[in-house]
């Protein structure tokens, strides 16, 4: 298909697969399908671990739960209470969302409108608006990312930890957005359309390449395009195994969180006769609690406000969650051998709804390490003030 012929002369229009030959398009579709498939496989396998814990409603009152996701997940009202980290996360989040929407629209334009309707979605004033928004989204994303890098690696507040995941994902995200902008700049340096200034970031960058040999520019554009999409594929494949997993786990955690007053403790049934108080192993938790572990963004806000941590007690609430999350990863092979629990145990407000089925495995996956005693020590547990 001649994609350029789909665009009327003189009208702003997106030329699909500009400078990308058909054989490379096929490789792209195949490789991206594999990358997305591996990402979904990783996500599903992680969610399967959650379902090995005790059942709980977690899905009642769906409209109220969806409203919470909008309020806290998209509007990010809680995150914005702290100005600097809230601003950088807001910029990264909405930059990512808008760039993702732009990619979806480009896919619909190429693979739906062109193939099935012999028409273009991204043309005219809408296309100009589309390019302005995407370039601004990319710029906002990079500003937020630069703020995050400065805070984590230069300011280095005690509540933030640094490990291989952040060392990998933060540069990867920046590389993806930067290469995308330079791919656009190289295209503009060759095409130089009248609506080029609509790309408010890529257009100034294009002057770095103006006047260069056209064949060299086309080769550079194609090579950078390949590198850009390879980085996107790496992003998809690695997402379930890095801190980027919170893109999915945090909204899921907000949705399934129980409805109860802040700080309310669930009473232990038959306290005096109970053989066990609370959770002694992973399978004692309700499944939304395991989702809680994976939803942690390691921001350290809980650490900052914990009175036990402030009193230099051994309790650090952030690392309680991180250690439990890592322990769940450590035990994943054995946890998957257990059946998924389906019978309802508790409702969203913590009231008993049905007897939970017994789990034959000890919930520690046969490990010599115990959740209580080794992963979470008695000193940490007893330091909690239940504030």
């Amino acid at each position: 298909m001649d994609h350029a012929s789909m665009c009327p002369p003189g009208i702003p229009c997106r030329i699909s697969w500009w400078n990308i030959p058909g054989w490379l398009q096929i490789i792209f579709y195949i490789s991206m399908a594999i990358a997305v498939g591996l990402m979904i496989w990783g996500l599903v396998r992680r969610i399967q671990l959650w379902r090995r814990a005790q059942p709980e409603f977690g899905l009642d009152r769906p409209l109220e739960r969806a409203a919470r996701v909008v309020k806290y997940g998209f509007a990010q009202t809680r995150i914005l209470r702290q100005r600097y980290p809230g601003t950088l996360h807001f910029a990264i989040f909405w930059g990512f969302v808008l760039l993702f929407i732009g990619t979806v629209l480009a896919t619909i334009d190429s693979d739906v409108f062109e193939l099935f309707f012999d028409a273009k979605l991204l043309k005219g004033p809408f296309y100009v608006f589309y390019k302005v928004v995407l370039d601004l989204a990319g710029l906002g994303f990079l500003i937020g990312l630069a703020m995050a890098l400065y805070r984590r690696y230069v300011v280095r507040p005690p509540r933030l930890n640094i490990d291989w995941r952040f060392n990998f994902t933060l540069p990867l995200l920046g590389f993806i957005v930067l290469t995308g902008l330079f791919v656009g700049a190289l295209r503009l340096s060759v095409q130089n359309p009248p609506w080029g200034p609509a790309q408010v970031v890529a257009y100034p960058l294009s002057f770095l390449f103006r006047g260069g040999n056209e064949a060299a520019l086309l080769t550079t554009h194609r090579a950078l395009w390949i590198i850009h999409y390879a980085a996107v594929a790496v992003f998809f494949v690695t997402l379930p195994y890095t801190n980027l997993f919170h893109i999915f786990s945090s909204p899921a955690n907000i949705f399934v969180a129980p409805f109860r007053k802040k700080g309310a403790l669930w009473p232990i049934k038959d306290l005096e006769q109970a053989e066990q108080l609370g959770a002694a192993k992973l399978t004692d938790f309700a499944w939304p609690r395991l989702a809680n572990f994976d939803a942690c963004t390691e921001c350290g806000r809980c650490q900052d406000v914990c009175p036990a941590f402030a009193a230099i007690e051994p309790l650090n609430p952030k690392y309680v969650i991180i250690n439990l999350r890592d322990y769940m990863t450590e035990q994943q092979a054995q946890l998957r051998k257990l059946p998924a629990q389906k019978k309802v145990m508790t409702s969203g407000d913590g009231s008993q709804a049905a007897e939970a089925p017994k789990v034959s495995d000890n919930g520690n996956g046969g490990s010599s390490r115990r959740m209580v005693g080794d992963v979470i020590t008695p000193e940490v547990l007893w330091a909690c003030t239940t504030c």
Side-chain angles (χ1 to χ4, degrees):
M1 176 187 294
D2 183 5
H3 295 283
S5 65
M6 301 290 294
C7 291
I11 295 178
C13 181
R14 174 180 177 270
I15 300 177
S16 302
W17 301 107
W18 181 82
N19 192 39
I20 307 301
W23 62 269
L24 191 52
Q25 296 174 33
I26 294 172
I27 292 175
F28 164 79
Y29 280 118
I30 293 173
S31 59
M32 203 57 65
I34 293 172
V36 173
L38 289 173
M39 179 190 72
I40 294 173
W41 180 76
L43 295 175
V44 169
R45 283 177 64 81
R46 194 65 183 182
I47 293 170
Q48 286 174 343
L49 297 185
W50 305 348
R51 302 302 293 175
R52 267 51 183 181
Q54 299 297 338
E56 182 177 294
F57 274 137
L59 302 176
D60 58 325
R61 299 158 66 178
L63 293 181
E64 292 180 61
R65 293 179 181 278
R68 288 194 310 194
V69 173
V70 172
K71 180 178 180 180
Y72 300 121
F74 289 92
Q76 304 196 9
T77 54
R78 283 182 177 168
I79 295 175
L80 287 170
R81 291 174 186 173
Q82 296 183 321
R83 184 171 300 175
Y84 189 93
T87 300
L88 72 87
H89 192 275
F90 190 87
I92 291 173
F93 174 80
W94 277 106
F96 179 90
V97 168
L98 291 172
L99 290 170
F100 177 76
I101 292 173
T103 303
V104 171
L105 290 176
T107 302
I108 294 173
D109 179 55
S110 300
D111 300 337
V112 177
F113 272 71
E114 287 191 12
L115 289 178
F116 297 101
F117 303 108
D118 196 28
K120 292 292 293 181
L121 170 65
L122 298 177
K123 69 176 182 180
F126 178 63
Y127 177 62
V128 175
F129 175 74
Y130 167 89
K131 298 307 292 185
V132 171
V133 170
L134 286 196
D135 267 38
L136 290 177
L139 178 61
F141 184 96
L142 290 174
I143 291 173
L145 188 64
M147 292 172 67
L149 291 168
Y150 174 77
R151 181 167 179 261
R152 186 171 294 272
Y153 293 99
V154 179
V155 178
R156 303 188 70 168
R159 74 189 223 186
L160 294 183
N161 54 300
I162 300 174
D163 59 34
W164 73 268
R165 294 167 304 127
F166 295 99
N167 295 339
F168 171 74
T169 58
L170 295 179
L172 175 65
L173 291 172
F175 183 79
I176 289 172
V177 175
L178 279 173
T179 52
L181 289 171
F182 275 99
V183 165
L186 285 162
R187 177 178 55 80
L188 289 175
S189 69
V190 175
Q191 291 182 313
N192 194 25
W195 53 88
Q199 294 187 245
V200 293
V201 179
Y203 184 73
L205 291 176
S206 70
F207 285 93
L208 297 173
F209 310 104
R210 297 291 174 93
N213 179 271
E214 183 172 326
L217 290 174
L218 291 173
T219 300
T220 304
H221 169 271
R222 187 176 298 175
L224 191 59
W225 184 92
I226 294 171
I227 293 170
H228 171 72
Y229 276 102
V232 173
V234 170
F235 165 81
F236 283 131
V237 172
T238 58
L239 185 148
Y241 313 103
T242 68
N243 54 305
L244 296 177
F245 182 46
H246 82 274
I247 293 172
F248 294 98
S249 59
S250 291
N253 178 53
I254 296 170
F255 188 86
V256 303
F259 291 98
R260 68 173 185 266
K261 293 181 179 179
K262 292 179 180 179
L265 299 177
W266 291 355
I268 298 174
K269 189 177 180 181
D270 300 325
L271 176 62
E272 294 182 356
Q273 289 77 35
E275 297 180 0
Q276 176 180 308
L277 305 180
K281 51 189 182 294
L282 288 170
T283 50
D284 287 338
F285 287 111
W287 72 264
R289 304 298 81 75
L290 300 192
N292 293 161
F293 304 159
D294 276 333
C296 177
T297 59
E298 304 177 40
C299 66
R301 287 185 297 165
C302 59
Q303 173 182 312
D304 271 2
V305 299
C306 176
F309 182 79
I312 320 180
E313 295 289 342
L315 170 62
N316 183 323
K318 183 176 96 168
Y319 279 97
V320 167
I321 299 301
I322 290 175
N323 291 340
L324 287 170
R325 180 199 65 198
D326 293 345
Y327 185 62
M328 180 167 60
T329 301
E330 176 187 322
Q331 302 306 316
Q332 59 184 331
Q334 294 298 326
L335 285 172
R336 288 199 180 93
K337 296 178 181 178
L338 303 177
Q341 305 302 321
K342 298 179 181 179
K343 195 173 181 181
V344 172
M345 181 182 71
T346 58
S347 65
D349 60 4
S351 59
Q352 294 295 318
E355 184 68 21
K358 301 298 181 183
V359 180
S360 58
D361 188 272
N362 64 9
N364 291 322
S367 171
S368 59
R369 290 212 312 154
R370 299 167 300 161
M371 187 179 79
V372 177
D374 297 318
V375 179
I376 308 297
T377 65
E379 292 78 17
V380 167
L381 291 173
W382 286 107
C384 180
T385 64
T386 67
C387 64

